[in-house]
Amino acid sequence: MIKNALLSLKKNIGKTILLFVIIVVITNLVIAGLSIQSATKKSMDQIRSSLGNDVTLSIDFRNMIKNRKPSEAVSNETSLTTTMADSLKDLKYVKNYNYQISTSANSNSISAVETASDNSNNQPEQASNQVDFTISANTTMKYLDSFTNNNYKLTKGRLLTTKDQNTNNCVIETNLASDNDLSVGDTFTITTTVNDETITQELTIVGIYEIQSTNEIGSAHFNNPVNTIYTDLSIGQTLTGSSENITSAIYYLDDPENAEAFVELAKKKSDIDFDTFSLDANNRLYQQNASSLESMQSFAKMFVWIVVIAGSAILCLILALTIRNRYYEIGVLLSLGQSKVKIIAQQLIEVGLIAVVAFVISLGTGQLTSHYMGNMLESSSSSNVMQMGQKGDQPNENQNQSDSNQQKNNTQTKENFLGNMMQGPSNQELDVSITGENVIQLAGVTAAICIVSIAVPAAYVLRLTPRQILSRKEG
């Protein structure tokens, strides 16, 4: 059969070339669609990972405002407690956690770093009432985003860990240390007022950090990150006058992909009122930034199906016309006792040999097609790409501040991952390289197209008797 198939391909060189061109086009388009599907899935996984593996439990002020009665003030009595936070820290997927308290303080022993905005006379009354320092109290500084993503860099000493529990150790910024001639081992005091009582707290410097990013430097006093003082959680509890209340709890998961599963498990296993409190897994940011990729993935999937269906239909038509020209050959073979299975098998071998050559060539040319289609889809989607944000290390000072102020004071800009990814080859681009999985998928699709394109016209012809076939040839 193989010998007869080769002779037939050589004899009908025009048909062979036509089939070869069509199959090459089909396989190139299919491999392009498959590789784009794989690339978009990989990119969405990268987006999820880039948003981090942390989930934050905090008061949901937006929901509280939405659910309040008209003209009713938002309650400032609602507090997140360590008891609530503890109910989630041992759940599945949680690898580590950090409780945070954000508050403010002044000091008689050191001065805040001043900026141009501090000298503005636009709002003198507000300036006079403004506190000098933000106190960020944490269970540990080990997992804080600003330090793990190198926006902040430790220059002297060390960061606070769980071993610093119930100590007066602190970490300050290098400009604050320089302005006040402070170094590791030095002490200073901060003060605040709770329930009309002045609280004075002594702190010992164990680490000094430097801010690498200047995005937020320049704000006034405690809004300026150089005036942030990191302490143990117990210091925050002392300064707020509560041993239970915290500002937020951050849970670091074993895998970013488990964020949604953890949120669902937390809602199922805990007694926390999630109308008042929220678990933020950056899902909103993920959906915003992944939407264009999801559209691209859907388009690629639809494109593959269209190519497969259209390609099969075209091949069926061509092979049906070809078989009509071979009525006499088929009729003679059937008359000589050749089985219908062998006749169909020869047809499959002929198309299969062409498909194998086309398949091998498409593995090379398909890469070019993939990049070309990927670039077109990227350019059409780039206008919809939104810059991603990152949750800040420092929760808001006052729990009844608006979401916009929370973002302004506590959110740091993360690198525009998608923006860079969607730019040209000089930056990170959509990786449309052909994978082993794509090759296997292409082989299966190509084989299916060949079988369908042969089976349909062959079944129509071979249902006839040799006499009927020969008589049609005569007609």
Side-chain angles (χ1 to χ4, degrees):
M1 286 190 295
I2 296 178
K3 182 179 180 180
N4 290 337
L6 291 172
L7 290 173
S8 177
L9 291 176
K10 185 177 181 181
K11 178 182 177 182
N12 301 287
I13 189 67
K15 181 205 75 172
T16 302
I17 293 175
L18 178 61
L19 290 175
F20 173 75
V21 171
I22 292 175
I23 295 177
V24 165
V25 172
I26 292 173
T27 51
N28 271 270
L29 294 177
V30 169
I31 194 66
L34 293 174
S35 61
I36 290 173
Q37 282 190 69
S38 298
T40 51
K41 184 180 185 303
K42 186 190 301 181
S43 295
M44 286 191 287
D45 291 340
Q46 290 173 346
I47 293 173
R48 178 71 266 181
S49 296
S50 70
L51 288 173
N53 64 336
D54 53 301
V55 179
T56 302
L57 175 66
S58 59
I59 298 175
D60 191 344
F61 291 104
R62 181 179 301 175
N63 203 34
M64 291 176 64
I65 292 174
K66 183 176 66 175
N67 293 334
R68 68 186 174 89
K69 295 179 180 179
S71 302
E72 182 182 20
V74 178
S75 173
N76 58 3
E77 300 297 325
T78 303
S79 300
L80 177 63
T81 66
T82 53
T83 302
M84 295 178 188
D86 286 343
S87 67
L88 303 183
K89 70 178 183 179
D90 295 321
L91 290 181
K92 183 181 179 182
Y93 310 122
V94 178
K95 190 175 181 180
N96 293 291
Y97 67 92
N98 179 36
Y99 297 165
Q100 294 185 328
I101 295 175
S102 183
T103 185
S104 59
N106 292 303
S107 176
N108 294 322
S109 61
I110 63 172
S111 300
V113 177
E114 293 190 1
T115 61
S117 59
D118 294 327
N119 299 322
S120 173
N121 294 320
N122 292 335
Q123 295 176 319
E125 184 177 348
Q126 284 188 1
S128 63
N129 295 329
Q130 193 176 52
V131 292
D132 288 336
F133 303 101
T134 292
I135 307 300
S136 178
N138 297 269
T139 306
T140 176
M141 293 178 65
K142 183 177 180 180
Y143 309 105
L144 296 183
D145 288 339
S146 290
F147 291 93
T148 57
N149 63 18
N150 295 320
N151 281 344
Y152 293 2
K153 181 180 179 181
L154 184 69
T155 56
K156 295 179 182 178
R158 62 178 178 83
L159 298 180
L160 301 177
T161 67
T162 53
K163 294 181 180 179
D164 293 288
Q165 184 177 1
N166 297 321
T167 68
N168 66 341
N169 295 336
C170 72
V171 175
I172 64 174
E173 208 273 335
T174 183
N175 290 287
L176 180 61
S178 176
D179 281 12
N180 292 278
D181 196 23
L182 297 172
S183 60
V184 173
D186 290 344
T187 62
F188 62 92
T189 59
I190 56 175
T191 61
T192 190
T193 302
V194 178
N195 298 325
D196 297 326
E197 179 184 352
T198 299
I199 297 176
T200 301
Q201 175 68 51
E202 184 180 70
L203 299 177
T204 301
I205 302 170
V206 297
I208 297 176
Y209 68 93
E210 181 179 8
I211 298 176
Q212 305 295 304
S213 172
T214 60
N215 288 340
E216 295 185 13
I217 294 180
S219 300
H221 275 3
F222 82 101
N223 283 340
N224 192 333
V226 300
N227 290 320
T228 295
I229 301 173
Y230 290 90
T231 70
D232 173 59
L233 191 72
S234 60
I235 300 297
Q237 292 172 332
T238 298
L239 296 177
T240 56
S242 173
S243 60
E244 267 288 305
N245 296 345
I246 58 177
T247 305
S248 64
I250 303 176
Y251 304 95
Y252 301 92
L253 309 184
D254 53 3
D255 192 321
E257 294 296 321
N258 294 327
E260 292 185 10
F262 170 71
V263 171
E264 292 301 319
L265 182 64
K267 291 180 178 180
K268 181 179 180 181
K269 295 289 186 179
S270 72
D271 296 327
I272 297 174
D273 179 10
F274 286 103
D275 287 332
T276 304
F277 301 92
S278 66
L279 271 174
D280 179 14
N282 278 335
N283 288 334
R284 181 173 58 85
L285 288 173
Y286 175 77
Q287 293 299 328
Q288 286 176 347
N289 291 280
S291 59
S292 60
L293 289 173
E294 289 175 343
S295 299
M296 193 184 300
Q297 188 179 45
S298 298
F299 172 80
K301 185 176 182 179
M302 184 187 306
F303 178 77
V304 170
W305 277 108
I306 291 174
V307 170
V308 169
I309 294 172
S312 299
I314 293 171
L315 286 179
C316 282
L317 178 60
I318 293 174
L319 291 172
L321 295 174
T322 301
I323 288 177
R324 284 177 62 87
N325 294 329
R326 299 176 67 177
Y327 274 2
Y328 183 76
E329 176 188 345
I330 295 173
V332 170
L333 289 174
L334 289 173
S335 299
L336 294 175
Q338 185 79 278
S339 69
K340 294 181 179 180
V341 173
K342 287 186 177 182
I343 294 175
I344 295 177
Q346 180 178 327
Q347 300 289 323
L348 281 173
I349 291 173
E350 292 178 15
V351 176
L353 291 173
I354 298 173
V356 168
V357 178
F359 174 82
V360 173
I361 292 176
S362 68
L363 294 180
T365 58
Q367 186 73 63
L368 299 176
T369 306
S370 299
H371 279 293
Y372 178 74
M373 290 186 59
N375 289 336
M376 285 198 309
L377 291 172
E378 287 169 11
S379 61
S380 65
S381 301
S382 60
S383 59
N384 297 324
V385 175
M386 302 177 66
Q387 184 173 356
M388 291 186 298
Q390 169 189 331
K391 295 192 297 297
D393 294 336
Q394 307 165 15
N396 226 5
E397 174 200 359
N398 298 315
Q399 295 181 353
N400 60 351
Q401 288 184 339
S402 65
D403 285 345
S404 61
N405 286 332
Q406 287 181 347
Q407 291 177 353
K408 178 179 178 181
N409 295 336
N410 304 326
T411 302
Q412 296 181 332
T413 304
K414 180 173 277 188
E415 178 184 3
N416 190 348
F417 174 83
L418 274 177
N420 288 334
M421 180 188 70
M422 290 298 186
Q423 292 173 5
S426 59
N427 297 304
Q428 281 185 302
E429 61 179 1
L430 193 65
D431 183 9
V432 292
S433 56
I434 298 173
T435 65
E437 183 181 2
N438 295 149
V439 174
I440 295 173
Q441 291 173 331
L442 177 63
V445 170
T446 304
I449 290 175
C450 291
I451 292 172
V452 171
S453 60
I454 283 293
V456 173
Y460 172 74
V461 174
L462 296 181
R463 69 184 177 83
L464 304 175
T465 64
R467 181 186 179 93
Q468 290 173 316
I469 292 174
L470 292 172
S471 65
R472 292 197 176 205
K473 169 62 181 175
E474 294 297 329

